[in-house]
Structure formats: C-alpha cells, structure tokens
Amino acid sequence: DGVGVGKTIEAGLILRELQARRDIRSILIICPRPLVTERKWQIEMKRFEERFLHLDGPTLRYCINEMDLEGIWPEQHQRIIIPYSLFDETLLYGSDGRRKRKKGLLDLDPPPRFDLVIVDEAHHIRNQDTFSHKAVRFFCDHAEAVIFLTATPIQLGNHDLFVLLNTLRPDIIIDQESFEHMSEPNPFINQAVAVARAQEPEWTIQAKEALDSAARTPWGQSILRHNPEFNRINARLAEGKIGLEERVQLITDLEALHTFSGIINRTRRRDIGEFTVRKPETVVVEFTPKQKELHDELLQVQAEVFSRLHGDVNVKFMMTTIRRQAASCLFGLAPFLEEILSRHLDELSWEEADN
C-alpha cells in the first residue's frame, strides 16, 4: 500500500476478522526499531482494544529458553512486538555457555507457533542472507496466518518481490522460475489497468490489445485463456462504449486478473484521496430471524455449559470471546462451532462422571 493509507489500521481490521472466525490468542508483530521506540503499533492496536508488549533482547532470550525447556511459548508473552534489530547470529543459532550450549531460535523443536504474524515494513527481509530474513521466515513457516505490510515491495528488482511472496506463500511461489512464469502476463494487465484509468480516446481498444498480449504469454495460454472472467472482460472491451461506473468496476476486475491478486492487496493514495479512516468503526447489521435464533440458542447453550462447569462465577467474562465472535460473524464462526461445543460438552461429561 502507499505511504500513509493506514496499513496498521488494515492489519487491525484483518485481526478483527480473524478473531471473528477463530480463536486468536498469540500474535507476533515484527517491525523496525524506530516504530518500537515511537510505540506506533502499541498505540494503533489500542484502537482495537488489543494490548501488546515490546520485547527487548533479554526477554526474547528468556522466551527462547522457556520454549526450549517447556515446549511452549511463555503465556505472558503471547502478544508481542519485536524489532528486526534483535535478530542476530547468537539469537538465531545460539551460543556456547559456561555449562552448556544455549539454543538459538532456529534450534527450537517444537518451534513457536503464533496464530498471527504481522511483518511491518516487510521489504526489510528482501535479502535472504540476512538474520532478519531467516528469523521472519522461521516464524512465518510455523504460523497459522501471516500478513506482510510494505509500501515498497520492489526496490532493486523483481527478485525482491519473489523473496517476499516465496516467504509468504512458499506453497504457491515455489521458486524463481515459477515466479517468473506466473509474472509474465502482469505487465500487460497493468498496462490495461493504466489505460482504463487514463480514459484516453480509444482506451478500450488499447486495453484489449494489452489483454491479448497477456494471453499470448505462456502463462496466458495455459491459464488466462481458460479463465471465464478474462474472456468476459475481453469481450466487453471489444464491444466498447463503456460508461463511467462500469469503467470503475472494470478496473477492479482487471486488477483481479493479476496473477498475484490472491496474495497481494494494493491501495494507492490517489484511489482514496484524503479519506483515510484512522479509527475502526462498527457497522451494525440486523440479524435475520433465523440468524437471531441461532445466535441466542448458541449463547444459551454455552452459558449453561459454563454454569454447570464453573457455577455462576465469571460466566459473563468466559462468554466474552464467543459472544464477540457470534455477534461479529456467524458465518465465520460456523466451521468452529462443532469443535467449540464438543470440547466444552466433553468437559461437562467428565465433570458429571466425577460427581
């Protein structure tokens, strides 16, 4: 995203959506040291009622030692912010102590598994030989979800983008060769987007020519030409006479043809003008009758289970997470309902058996 469009706010919104869909307990934010000094992430996350701790070198070493001894990351450090500058050779590979060798981060087995890793100014890891890159890749390889934030993903060439995408999705961006193969249509797709934005005379003809060029690349011949959306857009451009509102939608549709559109989201300052929202806003949407019935019955069952297990003490507090999830996104919560209810019902069965 462009500078100043609110990447930290976007990360907070993504976090909220993930929390509505699953239980997010451990979050790691990695960023440059100046942002730690300025407390930028701490302050921004408070907007979402999230509290994070900054880790210094000794505390991070303590966490690594505890992980080595106990096999779990310390509970009090589940939401943390770490600067890139802490990642050095000793931290990653360990050191020889007086009595025994201290393990490094990369030695940990099992590795730390964070529910969400946020990497700010991700272009800092474009060099694969740096300690920062190796540490970030290690955390990302074992995380449930990962977000990279950067305004400058490409600084020295396409290899920078390859490194970021390969770190983010090694299952899709397997190697440099596959990256280059997938990238081939993108310059032509970008050209089509550019002429659609400029809206010069005969822009539809120019945009179609760009898409035809994209289709002639090896990736275009094997993938794009068989994409119904690509064919629909191409046919519409051939017809011409596209109005203002349709052109705006067409630009969005063209950008979605980009081969990395499922991995990369880009927001430009010129697209949003001066209307960047710097605080989260709750949008209230009424439940349908069936949704309301499901919501109420779910919370009632959960409350009864908690009451049976723990009495009436702190039931409201224990209901906080599922109440928030149910109110935010029933659809997102649905895949996890069976697991949530089964776990607590199993606890209830054991409680009754003990009695």
Side-chain angles (χ1 to χ4, degrees):
D1 291 347
V3 176
V5 301
K7 289 185 286 294
T8 51
I9 297 299
E10 286 182 319
L13 294 173
I14 294 172
L15 170 58
R16 274 289 178 264
E17 180 63 24
L18 287 174
Q19 288 173 328
R21 294 170 178 265
R22 64 182 71 174
D23 188 14
I24 302 293
R25 297 185 180 183
S26 56
I27 305 170
L28 167 63
I29 298 174
I30 303 172
C31 64
R33 180 172 288 281
L35 300 185
V36 174
T37 304
E38 297 167 4
R39 299 179 59 244
K40 177 184 177 182
W41 275 97
Q42 273 191 331
I43 294 171
E44 294 287 4
M45 288 298 100
K46 283 183 179 179
R47 298 173 183 267
F48 297 90
E49 299 181 353
E50 300 288 345
R51 299 293 184 266
F52 283 81
L53 295 175
H54 289 144
L55 288 199
D56 56 17
T59 309
L60 180 54
R61 165 48 61 187
Y62 162 78
C63 291
I64 292 174
N65 291 342
E66 286 296 298
M67 186 78 197
D68 180 36
L69 293 172
E70 304 295 336
I72 57 174
W73 197 264
E75 184 67 28
Q76 67 271 31
H77 298 301
Q78 291 292 304
R79 300 190 175 211
I80 54 176
I81 302 171
I82 300 177
Y84 290 108
S85 56
L86 291 187
F87 300 134
D88 58 20
E89 183 175 8
T90 300
L91 186 86
L92 265 63
Y93 298 105
S95 61
D96 294 325
R98 293 181 178 179
R99 296 184 178 179
K100 66 175 184 178
R101 181 178 179 275
K102 289 185 177 180
K103 287 189 177 181
L105 176 67
L106 304 187
D107 296 322
L108 294 178
D109 186 16
R113 299 183 183 276
F114 285 88
D115 295 324
L116 175 63
V117 172
I118 300 173
V119 183
D120 195 11
E121 305 292 349
H123 50 273
H124 282 270
I125 67 164
R126 66 184 184 276
N127 186 341
Q128 293 172 292
D129 295 326
T130 62
F131 297 127
S132 292
H133 174 90
K134 294 174 182 178
V136 169
R137 181 179 284 273
F138 180 75
F139 281 120
C140 292
D141 283 346
H142 304 101
E144 288 294 318
V146 179
I147 303 171
F148 281 3
L149 303 172
T150 178
T152 54
I154 301 177
Q155 295 191 331
L156 300 176
N158 277 347
H159 183 70
D160 292 350
L161 184 59
F162 160 71
V163 171
L164 294 183
L165 296 183
N166 174 254
T167 305
L168 188 64
R169 291 299 303 270
D171 56 324
I172 296 177
I173 313 301
I174 301 171
D175 51 30
Q176 183 77 42
E177 183 179 358
S178 62
F179 169 78
E180 297 292 347
H181 185 54
M182 292 179 68
S183 299
E184 288 175 340
N186 292 336
F188 302 109
I189 294 173
N190 292 338
Q191 181 183 350
V193 171
V195 298
R197 286 182 182 277
Q199 202 179 1
E200 298 290 340
E202 299 186 343
W203 69 267
T204 55
I205 297 175
Q206 297 173 27
K208 186 180 186 309
E209 290 175 349
L211 288 190
D212 289 340
S213 297
R216 286 193 289 270
T217 64
W219 183 268
Q221 292 178 20
S222 60
I223 303 296
L224 276 182
R225 285 186 175 180
H226 305 288
N227 183 340
E229 185 67 2
F230 174 84
N231 292 325
R232 180 192 68 80
I233 295 171
N234 216 5
R236 184 65 187 92
L237 288 171
E239 295 173 4
K241 295 183 180 180
I242 296 176
L244 177 60
E245 291 187 5
E246 187 180 1
R247 181 181 65 87
V248 172
Q249 181 59 50
L250 192 68
I251 291 172
T252 301
D253 296 340
L254 284 168
E255 290 178 330
L257 295 176
H258 196 285
T259 54
F260 302 131
S261 63
I263 307 175
I264 301 175
N265 177 71
R266 183 181 182 188
T267 304
R268 303 171 183 82
R269 165 63 73 179
R270 69 185 183 209
D271 291 337
I272 61 175
E274 299 300 322
F275 298 102
T276 304
V277 178
R278 298 300 295 175
K279 62 180 181 179
E281 180 179 347
T282 300
V283 178
V284 179
V285 180
E286 294 294 332
F287 281 141
T288 65
K290 288 187 177 180
Q291 289 174 334
K292 182 68 165 58
E293 182 181 0
L294 172 61
H295 172 273
D296 294 347
E297 290 184 359
L298 170 64
L299 295 185
Q300 181 180 350
V301 169
Q302 186 70 82
E304 290 177 359
V305 170
F306 279 144
S307 295
R308 295 279 294 278
L309 288 172
H310 308 287
D312 294 329
V313 180
N314 290 331
V315 169
K316 289 185 178 180
F317 175 76
M318 289 185 284
M319 291 283 294
T320 300
T321 298
I322 194 168
R323 189 186 300 277
R324 184 181 69 241
Q325 291 174 327
S328 175
C329 184
L330 276 174
F331 180 79
L333 181 63
F336 304 95
L337 280 179
E338 182 176 356
E339 177 187 350
I340 292 171
L341 293 177
S342 296
R343 183 173 68 250
H344 292 307
L345 289 174
D346 287 343
E347 293 176 5
L348 185 59
S349 298
W350 283 109
E351 180 76 12
E352 292 176 345
D354 290 340
N355 293 333

